[in-house]
Amino acid sequence: VKEYEGVRQFASGPDRLWYAVASAIAGALVKTKDYKKAIPLLRNAVGLAPDAYGKRVSSAMLISVYDAAGDIDQSIAATKTFLQDFPNAKEVGGLYAKLIKRLVKRGQIEEAKGFADKYLKMSNVPLAKRLGIASEVGQALMGLEKYAEAQAFLKFLRDKGDGTVEIAVRDEGP
């Protein structure tokens, strides 16, 4: 890592060789669970990636390493960037779900609601997963007594579910 940092200053992205070096060193550090050292290298790899594929792979790995390091704030920020930069990537469905759940857990319900609106429209995501997100966001909104906003998510559950869930939805609060 020291040698890399010493010569890295001479590289400017995108650059295939420096991307490969940063990615390889970061991968080795991740295998040894040295996430704190891997993170700056992965950030470099994202910037040095010579193509969209390399940037997507490095960005996805960076999110995973932030998670493993317990840096949820950075993971959320990196996930938002990923979703903006790669809206059609194969990882999008899983990243949306993880982001929504984290935002709900942190009490950022309004932001979670915006991402959930998009997520529920993703036909390539299994219905069961979309139903789970609709339930989670709907319940969180009801907990905040935002019944009118919760109604759309609960309606999704009622309309798309298998009929085993009965939901009472109010237009107004108590």
Side-chain angles (χ1 to χ4, degrees):
V1 174
K2 287 181 185 178
E3 291 83 5
Y4 172 82
E5 290 171 352
V7 293
R8 167 62 181 94
Q9 62 187 329
F10 301 109
S12 59
D15 184 295
R16 193 172 299 280
L17 175 61
W18 285 108
Y19 165 75
V21 170
S23 296
I25 295 172
L29 290 167
V30 168
K31 285 182 182 177
T32 63
K33 299 185 183 203
D34 195 346
Y35 305 120
K36 298 291 183 194
K37 287 183 183 174
I39 287 170
L41 290 165
L42 284 168
R43 285 185 190 143
N44 285 340
V46 170
L48 292 168
D51 54 30
Y53 175 78
K55 185 175 180 181
R56 181 179 64 81
V57 169
S58 297
S59 296
M61 187 174 181
L62 182 58
I63 293 166
S64 294
V65 172
Y66 280 137
D67 288 343
D71 194 340
I72 303 308
D73 289 335
Q74 287 296 328
S75 176
I76 287 171
T79 300
K80 289 176 184 178
T81 299
F82 185 97
L83 294 173
Q84 182 178 355
D85 291 348
F86 306 103
N88 299 316
K90 66 180 181 178
E91 300 92 346
V92 165
L95 288 175
Y96 262 102
K98 183 171 24 172
L99 177 61
I100 294 162
K101 289 178 182 194
R102 285 190 168 158
L103 292 171
V104 167
K105 187 175 182 178
R106 288 183 164 215
Q108 296 171 271
I109 309 304
E110 286 302 316
E111 190 173 7
K113 183 178 149 252
F115 286 107
D117 286 335
K118 295 176 187 173
Y119 184 76
L120 296 183
K121 295 174 185 165
M122 295 180 166
S123 59
N124 60 328
V125 173
L127 180 59
K129 292 184 183 222
R130 290 185 288 147
L131 290 169
I133 291 294
S135 175
E136 191 164 341
V137 174
Q139 288 177 35
L141 288 165
M142 287 181 62
L144 295 173
E145 297 183 359
K146 295 186 174 189
Y147 303 111
E149 293 178 45
Q151 185 173 11
F153 294 96
L154 300 176
K155 184 178 182 324
F156 182 88
L157 279 170
R158 185 186 63 221
D159 293 349
K160 302 286 184 182
D162 62 7
T164 60
V165 178
E166 287 193 31
I167 300 166
V169 179
R170 292 188 257 179
D171 289 326
E172 299 175 19

Short mmCIF file of all heavy atoms in Angstrom, two decimals, residues 4-63:
data_model
loop_
_atom_site.label_atom_id
_atom_site.label_comp_id
_atom_site.label_asym_id
_atom_site.label_seq_id
_atom_site.Cartn_x
_atom_site.Cartn_y
_atom_site.Cartn_z
N TYR A 4 2.23 1.87 -3.43
CA TYR A 4 1.15 2.37 -4.29
C TYR A 4 0.92 3.86 -4.04
O TYR A 4 0.85 4.64 -4.96
CB TYR A 4 -0.14 1.59 -4.04
CG TYR A 4 -1.34 2.19 -4.75
CD1 TYR A 4 -1.57 1.92 -6.09
CD2 TYR A 4 -2.21 3.05 -4.09
CE1 TYR A 4 -2.65 2.48 -6.75
CE2 TYR A 4 -3.28 3.62 -4.75
CZ TYR A 4 -3.50 3.32 -6.07
OH TYR A 4 -4.57 3.90 -6.73
N GLU A 5 0.81 4.23 -2.77
CA GLU A 5 0.55 5.63 -2.44
C GLU A 5 1.69 6.53 -2.91
O GLU A 5 1.46 7.67 -3.30
CB GLU A 5 0.33 5.78 -0.93
CG GLU A 5 -0.98 5.16 -0.48
CD GLU A 5 -1.15 5.10 1.03
OE1 GLU A 5 -0.18 5.41 1.77
OE2 GLU A 5 -2.25 4.74 1.48
N GLY A 6 2.92 6.02 -2.89
CA GLY A 6 4.06 6.81 -3.32
C GLY A 6 4.07 7.13 -4.80
O GLY A 6 4.49 8.21 -5.21
N VAL A 7 3.59 6.19 -5.61
CA VAL A 7 3.60 6.42 -7.06
C VAL A 7 2.23 6.78 -7.61
O VAL A 7 2.13 7.26 -8.74
CB VAL A 7 4.16 5.19 -7.81
CG1 VAL A 7 5.62 5.01 -7.49
CG2 VAL A 7 3.36 3.95 -7.52
N ARG A 8 1.20 6.62 -6.83
CA ARG A 8 -0.17 6.91 -7.29
C ARG A 8 -0.35 8.35 -7.73
O ARG A 8 -1.09 8.66 -8.63
CB ARG A 8 -1.17 6.55 -6.18
CG ARG A 8 -2.57 7.07 -6.36
CD ARG A 8 -3.23 6.51 -7.61
NE ARG A 8 -4.55 7.03 -7.75
CZ ARG A 8 -4.87 8.10 -8.48
NH1 ARG A 8 -3.96 8.76 -9.13
NH2 ARG A 8 -6.12 8.50 -8.58
N GLN A 9 0.40 9.26 -7.12
CA GLN A 9 0.28 10.68 -7.44
C GLN A 9 0.57 10.96 -8.91
O GLN A 9 0.16 11.98 -9.44
CB GLN A 9 1.21 11.50 -6.56
CG GLN A 9 2.68 11.14 -6.74
CD GLN A 9 3.59 11.83 -5.75
OE1 GLN A 9 3.28 12.93 -5.34
NE2 GLN A 9 4.67 11.17 -5.37
N PHE A 10 1.24 10.05 -9.58
CA PHE A 10 1.58 10.26 -10.99
C PHE A 10 0.49 9.77 -11.94
O PHE A 10 0.59 9.96 -13.14
CB PHE A 10 2.90 9.58 -11.32
CG PHE A 10 4.04 10.07 -10.49
CD1 PHE A 10 4.59 9.27 -9.51
CD2 PHE A 10 4.52 11.36 -10.65
CE1 PHE A 10 5.63 9.73 -8.72
CE2 PHE A 10 5.56 11.83 -9.86
CZ PHE A 10 6.11 11.02 -8.89
N ALA A 11 -0.51 9.15 -11.41
CA ALA A 11 -1.60 8.63 -12.24
C ALA A 11 -2.77 9.59 -12.23
O ALA A 11 -3.09 10.19 -11.22
CB ALA A 11 -2.06 7.27 -11.72
N SER A 12 -3.39 9.74 -13.36
CA SER A 12 -4.64 10.49 -13.43
C SER A 12 -5.61 9.64 -14.23
O SER A 12 -5.24 9.03 -15.21
CB SER A 12 -4.44 11.86 -14.09
OG SER A 12 -3.94 11.71 -15.39
N GLY A 13 -6.84 9.62 -13.79
CA GLY A 13 -7.80 8.69 -14.38
C GLY A 13 -8.42 9.19 -15.64
O GLY A 13 -8.28 10.35 -15.95
N PRO A 14 -9.13 8.42 -16.37
CA PRO A 14 -9.13 6.95 -16.24
C PRO A 14 -7.83 6.35 -16.78
O PRO A 14 -7.24 6.87 -17.72
CB PRO A 14 -10.32 6.52 -17.08
CG PRO A 14 -10.66 7.66 -17.96
CD PRO A 14 -10.08 8.89 -17.35
N ASP A 15 -7.41 5.28 -16.19
CA ASP A 15 -6.15 4.64 -16.54
C ASP A 15 -6.27 3.15 -16.24
O ASP A 15 -6.44 2.76 -15.09
CB ASP A 15 -5.02 5.28 -15.75
CG ASP A 15 -3.67 4.74 -16.14
OD1 ASP A 15 -3.42 3.54 -15.92
OD2 ASP A 15 -2.86 5.53 -16.66
N ARG A 16 -6.15 2.34 -17.27
CA ARG A 16 -6.36 0.90 -17.15
C ARG A 16 -5.35 0.25 -16.18
O ARG A 16 -5.71 -0.56 -15.35
CB ARG A 16 -6.28 0.25 -18.53
CG ARG A 16 -6.77 -1.16 -18.58
CD ARG A 16 -6.85 -1.69 -20.01
NE ARG A 16 -7.75 -0.95 -20.86
CZ ARG A 16 -9.08 -1.09 -20.89
NH1 ARG A 16 -9.65 -1.95 -20.07
NH2 ARG A 16 -9.83 -0.39 -21.70
N LEU A 17 -4.08 0.62 -16.27
CA LEU A 17 -3.06 0.01 -15.43
C LEU A 17 -3.26 0.37 -13.96
O LEU A 17 -3.28 -0.49 -13.09
CB LEU A 17 -1.66 0.44 -15.88
CG LEU A 17 -0.52 -0.06 -14.99
CD1 LEU A 17 -0.47 -1.58 -14.97
CD2 LEU A 17 0.81 0.52 -15.46
N TRP A 18 -3.44 1.66 -13.66
CA TRP A 18 -3.62 2.08 -12.28
C TRP A 18 -4.94 1.55 -11.71
O TRP A 18 -5.01 1.23 -10.52
CB TRP A 18 -3.54 3.60 -12.15
CG TRP A 18 -2.12 4.06 -12.26
CD1 TRP A 18 -1.55 4.73 -13.31
CD2 TRP A 18 -1.08 3.86 -11.32
NE1 TRP A 18 -0.22 4.96 -13.07
CE2 TRP A 18 0.09 4.43 -11.85
CE3 TRP A 18 -1.02 3.25 -10.07
CZ2 TRP A 18 1.30 4.42 -11.18
CZ3 TRP A 18 0.20 3.23 -9.40
CH2 TRP A 18 1.33 3.81 -9.95
N TYR A 19 -5.92 1.46 -12.54
CA TYR A 19 -7.20 0.86 -12.10
C TYR A 19 -6.96 -0.59 -11.67
O TYR A 19 -7.41 -1.01 -10.60
CB TYR A 19 -8.23 0.92 -13.24
CG TYR A 19 -9.42 0.02 -13.01
CD1 TYR A 19 -10.40 0.37 -12.09
CD2 TYR A 19 -9.55 -1.19 -13.69
CE1 TYR A 19 -11.49 -0.45 -11.86
CE2 TYR A 19 -10.64 -2.02 -13.47
CZ TYR A 19 -11.60 -1.65 -12.56
OH TYR A 19 -12.68 -2.47 -12.33
N ALA A 20 -6.22 -1.35 -12.48
CA ALA A 20 -5.95 -2.76 -12.17
C ALA A 20 -5.14 -2.88 -10.88
O ALA A 20 -5.42 -3.74 -10.04
CB ALA A 20 -5.23 -3.42 -13.34
N VAL A 21 -4.16 -2.00 -10.70
CA VAL A 21 -3.33 -2.04 -9.50
C VAL A 21 -4.18 -1.72 -8.26
O VAL A 21 -4.13 -2.44 -7.26
CB VAL A 21 -2.13 -1.06 -9.63
CG1 VAL A 21 -1.40 -0.92 -8.30
CG2 VAL A 21 -1.18 -1.52 -10.72
N ALA A 22 -4.94 -0.63 -8.32
CA ALA A 22 -5.78 -0.24 -7.18
C ALA A 22 -6.79 -1.34 -6.85
O ALA A 22 -6.98 -1.68 -5.68
CB ALA A 22 -6.49 1.08 -7.47
N SER A 23 -7.40 -1.90 -7.87
CA SER A 23 -8.39 -2.97 -7.65
C SER A 23 -7.76 -4.21 -7.04
O SER A 23 -8.34 -4.82 -6.13
CB SER A 23 -9.07 -3.33 -8.98
OG SER A 23 -9.80 -2.25 -9.47
N ALA A 24 -6.58 -4.58 -7.54
CA ALA A 24 -5.91 -5.79 -7.03
C ALA A 24 -5.50 -5.62 -5.57
O ALA A 24 -5.72 -6.52 -4.75
CB ALA A 24 -4.70 -6.12 -7.90
N ILE A 25 -4.93 -4.48 -5.24
CA ILE A 25 -4.51 -4.26 -3.86
C ILE A 25 -5.74 -4.20 -2.95
O ILE A 25 -5.75 -4.79 -1.87
CB ILE A 25 -3.66 -2.98 -3.74
CG1 ILE A 25 -2.34 -3.15 -4.51
CG2 ILE A 25 -3.37 -2.67 -2.27
CD1 ILE A 25 -1.52 -1.87 -4.61
N ALA A 26 -6.77 -3.50 -3.39
CA ALA A 26 -8.00 -3.40 -2.59
C ALA A 26 -8.60 -4.79 -2.38
O ALA A 26 -9.03 -5.12 -1.27
CB ALA A 26 -9.01 -2.49 -3.27
N GLY A 27 -8.62 -5.61 -3.42
CA GLY A 27 -9.15 -6.97 -3.29
C GLY A 27 -8.38 -7.78 -2.27
O GLY A 27 -8.98 -8.52 -1.47
N ALA A 28 -7.05 -7.64 -2.27
CA ALA A 28 -6.24 -8.36 -1.30
C ALA A 28 -6.53 -7.87 0.12
O ALA A 28 -6.61 -8.68 1.06
CB ALA A 28 -4.76 -8.19 -1.64
N LEU A 29 -6.69 -6.58 0.27
CA LEU A 29 -7.00 -6.03 1.59
C LEU A 29 -8.37 -6.47 2.08
O LEU A 29 -8.56 -6.74 3.27
CB LEU A 29 -6.91 -4.50 1.56
CG LEU A 29 -5.49 -3.93 1.41
CD1 LEU A 29 -5.53 -2.46 1.08
CD2 LEU A 29 -4.67 -4.20 2.67
N VAL A 30 -9.33 -6.56 1.18
CA VAL A 30 -10.67 -7.02 1.55
C VAL A 30 -10.61 -8.48 2.02
O VAL A 30 -11.26 -8.84 3.00
CB VAL A 30 -11.66 -6.84 0.38
CG1 VAL A 30 -12.97 -7.57 0.64
CG2 VAL A 30 -11.93 -5.36 0.12
N LYS A 31 -9.83 -9.28 1.34
CA LYS A 31 -9.70 -10.69 1.75
C LYS A 31 -9.14 -10.83 3.16
O LYS A 31 -9.48 -11.77 3.87
CB LYS A 31 -8.83 -11.46 0.76
CG LYS A 31 -9.55 -11.76 -0.53
CD LYS A 31 -8.69 -12.56 -1.47
CE LYS A 31 -9.44 -12.79 -2.77
NZ LYS A 31 -8.65 -13.49 -3.77
N THR A 32 -8.28 -9.88 3.56
CA THR A 32 -7.72 -9.92 4.91
C THR A 32 -8.56 -9.09 5.88
O THR A 32 -8.16 -8.90 7.04
CB THR A 32 -6.26 -9.40 4.93
OG1 THR A 32 -6.25 -8.03 4.53
CG2 THR A 32 -5.37 -10.23 4.03
N LYS A 33 -9.68 -8.59 5.40
CA LYS A 33 -10.64 -7.80 6.19
C LYS A 33 -10.04 -6.48 6.70
O LYS A 33 -10.46 -5.96 7.73
CB LYS A 33 -11.22 -8.62 7.34
CG LYS A 33 -11.97 -9.84 6.84
CD LYS A 33 -12.65 -10.58 7.93
CE LYS A 33 -13.30 -11.80 7.29
NZ LYS A 33 -14.37 -12.34 7.99
N ASP A 34 -9.10 -5.95 5.94
CA ASP A 34 -8.52 -4.64 6.26
C ASP A 34 -9.28 -3.58 5.46
O ASP A 34 -8.76 -2.98 4.52
CB ASP A 34 -7.02 -4.62 5.93
CG ASP A 34 -6.30 -3.45 6.58
OD1 ASP A 34 -6.99 -2.52 7.06
OD2 ASP A 34 -5.07 -3.48 6.60
N TYR A 35 -10.53 -3.39 5.86
CA TYR A 35 -11.44 -2.53 5.10
C TYR A 35 -11.03 -1.07 5.09
O TYR A 35 -11.20 -0.38 4.09
CB TYR A 35 -12.86 -2.68 5.65
CG TYR A 35 -13.33 -4.11 5.68
CD1 TYR A 35 -13.70 -4.71 6.87
CD2 TYR A 35 -13.39 -4.87 4.52
CE1 TYR A 35 -14.13 -6.04 6.90
CE2 TYR A 35 -13.81 -6.19 4.54
CZ TYR A 35 -14.18 -6.77 5.74
OH TYR A 35 -14.59 -8.06 5.76
N LYS A 36 -10.49 -0.60 6.19
CA LYS A 36 -10.11 0.82 6.28
C LYS A 36 -9.05 1.17 5.24
O LYS A 36 -9.05 2.27 4.70
CB LYS A 36 -9.62 1.18 7.69
CG LYS A 36 -10.66 0.99 8.77
CD LYS A 36 -11.78 2.00 8.66
CE LYS A 36 -12.76 1.82 9.80
NZ LYS A 36 -13.99 2.50 9.64
N LYS A 37 -8.13 0.26 4.98
CA LYS A 37 -7.10 0.50 3.96
C LYS A 37 -7.65 0.27 2.55
O LYS A 37 -7.18 0.88 1.59
CB LYS A 37 -5.89 -0.38 4.19
CG LYS A 37 -5.05 0.06 5.37
CD LYS A 37 -3.82 -0.81 5.50
CE LYS A 37 -3.00 -0.42 6.73
NZ LYS A 37 -1.87 -1.35 6.94
N ALA A 38 -8.62 -0.61 2.42
CA ALA A 38 -9.18 -0.92 1.10
C ALA A 38 -10.04 0.23 0.56
O ALA A 38 -10.07 0.46 -0.65
CB ALA A 38 -10.00 -2.20 1.16
N ILE A 39 -10.70 0.95 1.44
CA ILE A 39 -11.65 1.99 1.01
C ILE A 39 -11.00 3.06 0.13
O ILE A 39 -11.51 3.34 -0.96
CB ILE A 39 -12.39 2.59 2.23
CG1 ILE A 39 -13.41 1.57 2.73
CG2 ILE A 39 -13.08 3.91 1.87
CD1 ILE A 39 -14.05 1.91 4.08
N PRO A 40 -9.88 3.68 0.52
CA PRO A 40 -9.30 4.69 -0.36
C PRO A 40 -8.85 4.13 -1.71
O PRO A 40 -8.93 4.81 -2.74
CB PRO A 40 -8.13 5.27 0.42
CG PRO A 40 -8.01 4.51 1.67
CD PRO A 40 -9.19 3.60 1.79
N LEU A 41 -8.39 2.89 -1.70
CA LEU A 41 -7.98 2.26 -2.96
C LEU A 41 -9.18 2.03 -3.86
O LEU A 41 -9.10 2.22 -5.08
CB LEU A 41 -7.25 0.96 -2.68
CG LEU A 41 -5.86 1.14 -2.05
CD1 LEU A 41 -5.36 -0.17 -1.47
CD2 LEU A 41 -4.88 1.67 -3.08
N LEU A 42 -10.29 1.62 -3.28
CA LEU A 42 -11.50 1.43 -4.09
C LEU A 42 -12.03 2.76 -4.62
O LEU A 42 -12.51 2.83 -5.74
CB LEU A 42 -12.57 0.70 -3.29
CG LEU A 42 -12.31 -0.79 -3.13
CD1 LEU A 42 -13.24 -1.40 -2.10
CD2 LEU A 42 -12.46 -1.49 -4.47
N ARG A 43 -11.93 3.80 -3.81
CA ARG A 43 -12.31 5.13 -4.31
C ARG A 43 -11.45 5.50 -5.52
O ARG A 43 -11.95 6.04 -6.50
CB ARG A 43 -12.15 6.18 -3.21
CG ARG A 43 -13.21 6.15 -2.16
CD ARG A 43 -13.00 7.31 -1.20
NE ARG A 43 -13.84 7.20 -0.03
CZ ARG A 43 -13.46 7.54 1.18
NH1 ARG A 43 -12.27 8.05 1.41
NH2 ARG A 43 -14.29 7.40 2.19
N ASN A 44 -10.15 5.21 -5.41
CA ASN A 44 -9.26 5.45 -6.55
C ASN A 44 -9.68 4.63 -7.76
O ASN A 44 -9.69 5.13 -8.89
CB ASN A 44 -7.81 5.12 -6.19
CG ASN A 44 -7.16 6.15 -5.31
OD1 ASN A 44 -7.60 7.30 -5.24
ND2 ASN A 44 -6.09 5.76 -4.64
N ALA A 45 -9.99 3.36 -7.52
CA ALA A 45 -10.37 2.48 -8.62
C ALA A 45 -11.62 3.01 -9.33
O ALA A 45 -11.69 2.97 -10.56
CB ALA A 45 -10.62 1.06 -8.10
N VAL A 46 -12.57 3.53 -8.58
CA VAL A 46 -13.77 4.10 -9.20
C VAL A 46 -13.39 5.25 -10.13
O VAL A 46 -13.86 5.34 -11.26
CB VAL A 46 -14.79 4.57 -8.13
CG1 VAL A 46 -15.92 5.37 -8.76
CG2 VAL A 46 -15.35 3.38 -7.36
N GLY A 47 -12.51 6.12 -9.67
CA GLY A 47 -12.09 7.26 -10.47
C GLY A 47 -11.19 6.89 -11.64
O GLY A 47 -11.16 7.60 -12.65
N LEU A 48 -10.43 5.82 -11.50
CA LEU A 48 -9.49 5.40 -12.54
C LEU A 48 -10.09 4.42 -13.54
O LEU A 48 -9.46 4.12 -14.55
CB LEU A 48 -8.27 4.75 -11.89
CG LEU A 48 -7.36 5.66 -11.07
CD1 LEU A 48 -6.38 4.84 -10.27
CD2 LEU A 48 -6.64 6.64 -11.99
N ALA A 49 -11.27 3.92 -13.26
CA ALA A 49 -11.88 2.90 -14.13
C ALA A 49 -11.90 3.37 -15.58
O ALA A 49 -12.37 4.46 -15.88
CB ALA A 49 -13.29 2.58 -13.65
N PRO A 50 -11.39 2.53 -16.48
CA PRO A 50 -11.31 2.93 -17.88
C PRO A 50 -12.63 2.81 -18.64
O PRO A 50 -12.73 3.27 -19.78
CB PRO A 50 -10.27 1.96 -18.46
CG PRO A 50 -10.40 0.74 -17.60
CD PRO A 50 -10.76 1.25 -16.23
N ASP A 51 -13.63 2.20 -18.00
CA ASP A 51 -14.92 2.04 -18.69
C ASP A 51 -16.05 1.94 -17.65
O ASP A 51 -15.80 1.86 -16.44
CB ASP A 51 -14.90 0.80 -19.59
CG ASP A 51 -14.48 -0.48 -18.86
OD1 ASP A 51 -14.74 -0.60 -17.64
OD2 ASP A 51 -13.89 -1.36 -19.50
N ALA A 52 -17.27 1.94 -18.13
CA ALA A 52 -18.44 1.90 -17.24
C ALA A 52 -18.49 0.60 -16.44
O ALA A 52 -18.87 0.61 -15.27
CB ALA A 52 -19.72 2.07 -18.05
N TYR A 53 -18.09 -0.50 -17.05
CA TYR A 53 -18.11 -1.78 -16.34
C TYR A 53 -17.18 -1.73 -15.13
O TYR A 53 -17.56 -2.12 -14.02
CB TYR A 53 -17.71 -2.93 -17.28
CG TYR A 53 -17.60 -4.25 -16.56
CD1 TYR A 53 -18.74 -4.98 -16.23
CD2 TYR A 53 -16.37 -4.75 -16.17
CE1 TYR A 53 -18.66 -6.18 -15.54
CE2 TYR A 53 -16.27 -5.95 -15.48
CZ TYR A 53 -17.41 -6.66 -15.17
OH TYR A 53 -17.32 -7.84 -14.49
N GLY A 54 -15.95 -1.27 -15.32
CA GLY A 54 -15.00 -1.17 -14.23
C GLY A 54 -15.49 -0.24 -13.13
O GLY A 54 -15.34 -0.54 -11.94
N LYS A 55 -16.09 0.86 -13.52
CA LYS A 55 -16.61 1.81 -12.53
C LYS A 55 -17.76 1.18 -11.75
O LYS A 55 -17.86 1.33 -10.54
CB LYS A 55 -17.06 3.09 -13.21
CG LYS A 55 -17.50 4.15 -12.21
CD LYS A 55 -17.84 5.46 -12.89
CE LYS A 55 -18.26 6.48 -11.84
NZ LYS A 55 -18.63 7.76 -12.42
N ARG A 56 -18.63 0.43 -12.45
CA ARG A 56 -19.77 -0.21 -11.80
C ARG A 56 -19.30 -1.27 -10.80
O ARG A 56 -19.75 -1.31 -9.65
CB ARG A 56 -20.70 -0.85 -12.83
CG ARG A 56 -21.93 -1.51 -12.21
CD ARG A 56 -22.85 -2.12 -13.25
NE ARG A 56 -22.27 -3.20 -14.01
CZ ARG A 56 -22.18 -4.47 -13.59
NH1 ARG A 56 -22.62 -4.82 -12.41
NH2 ARG A 56 -21.64 -5.38 -14.36
N VAL A 57 -18.37 -2.10 -11.21
CA VAL A 57 -17.87 -3.17 -10.35
C VAL A 57 -17.16 -2.57 -9.13
O VAL A 57 -17.39 -3.01 -7.99
CB VAL A 57 -16.93 -4.12 -11.13
CG1 VAL A 57 -16.20 -5.07 -10.21
CG2 VAL A 57 -17.71 -4.89 -12.18
N SER A 58 -16.32 -1.57 -9.35
CA SER A 58 -15.60 -0.94 -8.24
C SER A 58 -16.57 -0.23 -7.29
O SER A 58 -16.40 -0.27 -6.07
CB SER A 58 -14.57 0.06 -8.77
OG SER A 58 -13.60 -0.59 -9.53
N SER A 59 -17.57 0.42 -7.85
CA SER A 59 -18.57 1.11 -7.02
C SER A 59 -19.36 0.13 -6.17
O SER A 59 -19.60 0.38 -4.98
CB SER A 59 -19.52 1.93 -7.90
OG SER A 59 -18.83 2.95 -8.58
N ALA A 60 -19.75 -0.99 -6.75
CA ALA A 60 -20.49 -2.02 -6.00
C ALA A 60 -19.62 -2.60 -4.90
O ALA A 60 -20.08 -2.82 -3.76
CB ALA A 60 -20.98 -3.11 -6.94
N MET A 61 -18.35 -2.83 -5.20
CA MET A 61 -17.44 -3.36 -4.20
C MET A 61 -17.22 -2.34 -3.08
O MET A 61 -17.17 -2.71 -1.90
CB MET A 61 -16.10 -3.74 -4.83
CG MET A 61 -15.16 -4.45 -3.90
SD MET A 61 -13.71 -5.01 -4.81
CE MET A 61 -12.81 -5.82 -3.52
N LEU A 62 -17.14 -1.07 -3.43
CA LEU A 62 -16.96 -0.02 -2.43
C LEU A 62 -18.15 0.00 -1.46
O LEU A 62 -17.96 0.11 -0.24
CB LEU A 62 -16.80 1.34 -3.11
CG LEU A 62 -16.57 2.55 -2.21
CD1 LEU A 62 -15.32 2.36 -1.34
CD2 LEU A 62 -16.44 3.81 -3.05
N ILE A 63 -19.35 -0.14 -1.97
CA ILE A 63 -20.54 -0.20 -1.11
C ILE A 63 -20.43 -1.37 -0.14
O ILE A 63 -20.67 -1.22 1.07
CB ILE A 63 -21.83 -0.31 -1.95
CG1 ILE A 63 -22.04 0.98 -2.75
CG2 ILE A 63 -23.04 -0.62 -1.07
CD1 ILE A 63 -23.09 0.86 -3.85
#
